[in-house]
C-alpha cells in the first residue's frame, strides 16, 4: 500500500541513539539537563551501571524518548548519561574514542565502523526501517526514471540514504554518476533550497520531509523509496540500529542485557498509538523534534521496530547483501562476520 506523508508533519530527525565508556557509579545524566536531585530515586544510583548513551536526532532517536524519561525519574536499571546529536559522524568519533558505550547509528555506518576498527563494536538491535521519500516541487516527477537529467538535493551522504538512492536509481535505468546531479546537504539546507526554488526535487527522511511540505504547499510527495525498494523483492530496509563497544559488552554483560530490555520497552511504548500524546511530548522534551505537534504527526511515519539476535541478523544481512552487490564499500568492503551481531552464536 502506498505510504502517504501527513501534511502536518514537521522538523528534522534522521538516523541514532546512545553512548559511553565503562561502568561508573555516578549520578543521573540525560539529554534534558534536568537536576538529578529533583528526580525520583526509586533505583539506587549506587547500584546502577552508568552507560554513556548517544541519541541521533531523527527517526532512530524517537524510540529512546521513553527510556530517557524513565532514566530521569530514576526508574531504569542502568543510569544513562544521554546526549542528542545531529550527525552519524559524531557518533562514529565518540565510539572510536571510547567516549560512548552504546549508540544508535545507521546500519551501514555500523558495518563500516566495525570493519575499520577490527570488530570493536557490535550491533545490538535494529530500531528503524525505511523512512525516505522523493519530494517534487513543480517538476512532475512520478517515477525514479523521471529523475534522469535532474538535480536532486539530498541528505545522508556516506550513510544508508546515499546507497539506497544510488541503488534504486541504477535499478530503474538511471546512472547516479552521469544521469543525475546529486547535491549532498543537511536537511535544513535541502529544505532551504526547495523553498527558494520555483521547481526542484529532493530526497529527505520523515519528519524532515513532512516538515518541508508543511512549510511549502507546492512541495509534494512523489515517491516512497520504501515502496520502490519493496517492489524489487529485496526484503525490508533496515536503516537504523543500536550498537555498543565490544569492550563495554564484555565488561558489562548485565548492563547490556538490561539496556536491551529497557530499550525494547521504550520503543514499544513510543510506537503505541494509545501513547501518542505523551510520546510526542517526550520527543519534544528531549529535542528529538522541535515540538510535540511535529512529533505527534511524525511518530507514526518513523517505522520504529525492535529486532535483536537472529531476527536482527536475518533482517540486516538481507539488506547488506544488496548493498554489497551494488557497492562493497557501502558496508566496509565485505559482509560482517557473525561476531558483529550481538547474541548470535
Amino acid at each position: 500500500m502506498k505510504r502517504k506523508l501527513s501534511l502536518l508533519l514537521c522538523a528534522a530527525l534522521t538516523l541514532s541513539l546512545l553512548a559511553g565508556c565503562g561502568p561508573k557509579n555516578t549520578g543521573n545524566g540525560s539529554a534534558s539537563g534536568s537536576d538529578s536531585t529533583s528526580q525520583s530515586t526509586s533505583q539506587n544510583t549506587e547500584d546502577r551501571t552508568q552507560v554513556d548513551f548517544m541519541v541521533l536526532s531523527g527517526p532512530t532517536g524517537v524510540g529512546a524518548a521513553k527510556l530517557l524519561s524513565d532514566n530521569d525519574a530514576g526508574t531504569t536499571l542502568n543510569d544513562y548519561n544521554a546526549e542528542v546529536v545531529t550527525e552519524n559522524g559524531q557518533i562514529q568519533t565518540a565510539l572510536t574514542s571510547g567516549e560512548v558505550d552504546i549508540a544508535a547509528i545507521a546500519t551501514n555506518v555500523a558495518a563500516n565502523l566495525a570493519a575499520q576498527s577490527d570488530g570493536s563494536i557490535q550491533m545490538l538491535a535494529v530500531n528503524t526501517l525505511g523512512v525516505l521519500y522523493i519530494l517534487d516541487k513543480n517538476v512532475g516527477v512520478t517515477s525514479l526514471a523521471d529523475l534522469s537529467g535532474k538535480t536532486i538535493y539530498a541528505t545522508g551522504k556516506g550513510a544508508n540514504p546515499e546507497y539506497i538512492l544510488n541503488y534504486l536509481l541504477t535499478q530503474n535505468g538511471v546512472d547516479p554518476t552521469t544521469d543525475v546531479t546529486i547535491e549532498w546537504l543537511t536537511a535544513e539546507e535541502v529544505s532551504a533550497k526547495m523553498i527558494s526554488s520555483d521547481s526542484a526535487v529532493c530526497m529527505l527522511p520523515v519528519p524532515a520531509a513532512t516538515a518541508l511540505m508543511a512549510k511549502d504547499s507546492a512541495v509534494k510527495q512523489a515517491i516512497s523509496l520504501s515502496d520502490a525498494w519493496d517492489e524489487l523483492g529485496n526484503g525490508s530496509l533496515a536503516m537504523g540500529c543500536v550498537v555498543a563497544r565490544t569492550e563495554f559488552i564484555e565488561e558489562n554483560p548485565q548492563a547490556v542485557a538490561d539496556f536491551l530490555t529497557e530499550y525494547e520497552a521504550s520503543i514499544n511504548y513510543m510506537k503505541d498509538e494509545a501513547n501518542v500524546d505523551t510520546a510526542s511530548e517526550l520527543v519534544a522534551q528531549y529535542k528529538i523534534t522541535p515540538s510535540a505537534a511535529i512529533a505527534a504527526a511524525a511518530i507514526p511515519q518513523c517505522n520504529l521496530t525492535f529486532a535483536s539476535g537472529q531476527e536482527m541478523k536475518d533482517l540486516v544481512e538481507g539488506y547488506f547483501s544488496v548493498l554489497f552487490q551494488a557497492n562493497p564499500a557501502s558496508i566496509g568492503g565485505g559482509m560482517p562476520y557473525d561476531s558483529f551481531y550481538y547474541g548470535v552464536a
Side-chain angles (χ1 to χ4, degrees), residues 4-5 32 52 57 69 79-80 84 98 104 111-112 119 129 140 148 161 168 181 184 195 203 212 268-269 281 326:
K4 290 296 181 181
L5 293 176
S32 68
D52 291 321
S57 62
S69 175
D79 178 22
Y80 297 102
V84 178
N112 271 286
L129 301 179
S148 182
L168 289 175
T181 300
W184 295 103
I195 291 171
M203 177 185 71
L212 172 57
N268 289 337
Y269 180 93
E281 293 290 345

Side-chain angles (χ1 to χ4, degrees), residues 100 245 268:
V100 302
R245 293 186 299 107
N268 289 337

Side-chain angles (χ1 to χ4, degrees), residues 14-17 56 59-61 88 103-110 123-131 160-161 164 237-243 263 267 302-307 312 315-316 319-320:
T14 13
L15 273 215
S16 260
L17 276 266
L56 187 67
T60 41
N88 276 293
I105 199 167
T107 50
N108 85 292
V109 175
M123 183 181 292
L124 301 180
V126 172
N127 60 17
T128 313
L129 301 179
V131 292
N160 287 308
I164 291 169
L237 282 173
M239 292 184 62
C241 66
V242 184
V243 301
Y263 186 55
I267 286 179
C302 286
N303 251 336
L304 299 178
T305 191
F306 182 90
M312 164 187 67
L315 182 62
V316 174
Y319 174 56
F320 280 174

Side-chain angles (χ1 to χ4, degrees), residues 43-310:
Q43 291 284 336
N44 188 339
T45 57
E46 293 297 323
D47 300 326
R48 297 159 74 206
T49 300
Q50 180 172 309
V51 179
D52 291 321
F53 175 62
M54 192 166 277
V55 177
L56 187 67
S57 62
T60 41
V62 171
K66 182 62 164 65
L67 176 58
L68 297 182
S69 175
D70 290 344
N71 182 65
D72 279 352
T75 60
T76 49
L77 297 170
N78 292 321
D79 178 22
Y80 297 102
N81 178 34
E83 180 181 4
V84 178
V85 298
T86 59
E87 298 293 337
N88 276 293
Q90 294 172 272
I91 295 178
Q92 288 179 269
T93 299
L95 285 167
T96 301
S97 66
E99 295 174 12
V100 302
D101 303 314
I102 303 177
I105 199 167
T107 50
N108 85 292
V109 175
N112 271 286
L113 186 57
Q116 295 165 9
S117 62
D118 195 25
S120 69
I121 69 162
Q122 294 178 46
M123 183 181 292
L124 301 180
V126 172
N127 60 17
T128 313
L129 301 179
V131 292
L132 292 170
Y133 294 84
I134 298 294
L135 304 181
D136 175 281
K137 182 177 181 180
N138 301 323
V139 175
V141 169
T142 59
S143 70
L144 287 161
D146 291 340
L147 293 172
S148 182
K150 307 294 190 299
T151 294
I152 307 169
Y153 303 123
T155 186
K157 183 173 177 57
N160 287 308
E162 177 181 7
Y163 298 109
I164 291 169
L165 178 60
N166 287 347
Y167 178 75
L168 289 175
L169 287 172
T170 301
Q171 293 299 304
N172 285 272
V174 181
D175 188 327
T177 61
T178 61
D179 294 340
V180 296
T181 300
I182 305 174
E183 292 192 18
W184 295 103
L185 307 165
T186 66
E188 292 77 12
E189 290 169 337
V190 170
S191 295
K193 287 275 192 180
M194 293 293 290
I195 291 171
S196 64
S197 300
D198 292 328
S199 61
V201 179
C202 74
M203 177 185 71
L204 283 174
V206 294
T210 43
L212 172 57
M213 289 194 294
K215 292 177 182 177
D216 188 339
S217 61
V219 178
K220 308 294 183 183
Q221 176 193 334
I223 305 165
S224 162
L225 294 191
S226 293
D227 285 343
W229 186 275
D230 290 347
E231 288 169 4
L232 297 175
N234 292 322
S236 299
L237 282 173
M239 292 184 62
C241 66
V242 184
V243 301
R245 293 186 299 107
T246 301
E247 182 180 11
F248 181 80
I249 293 171
E250 292 172 347
E251 293 177 353
N252 302 276
Q254 188 58 52
V256 173
D258 290 342
F259 164 75
L260 286 172
T261 297
E262 295 180 321
Y263 186 55
E264 180 178 14
S266 182
I267 286 179
N268 289 337
Y269 180 93
M270 295 300 295
K271 69 180 184 180
D272 188 337
E273 292 181 2
N275 301 325
V276 64
D277 291 340
T278 303
S280 302
E281 293 290 345
L282 291 177
V283 171
Q285 176 185 342
Y286 292 101
K287 311 300 183 185
I288 298 169
T289 62
S291 74
I294 291 169
I299 289 172
Q301 303 290 335
C302 286
N303 251 336
L304 299 178
T305 191
F306 182 90
S308 60
Q310 189 63 44

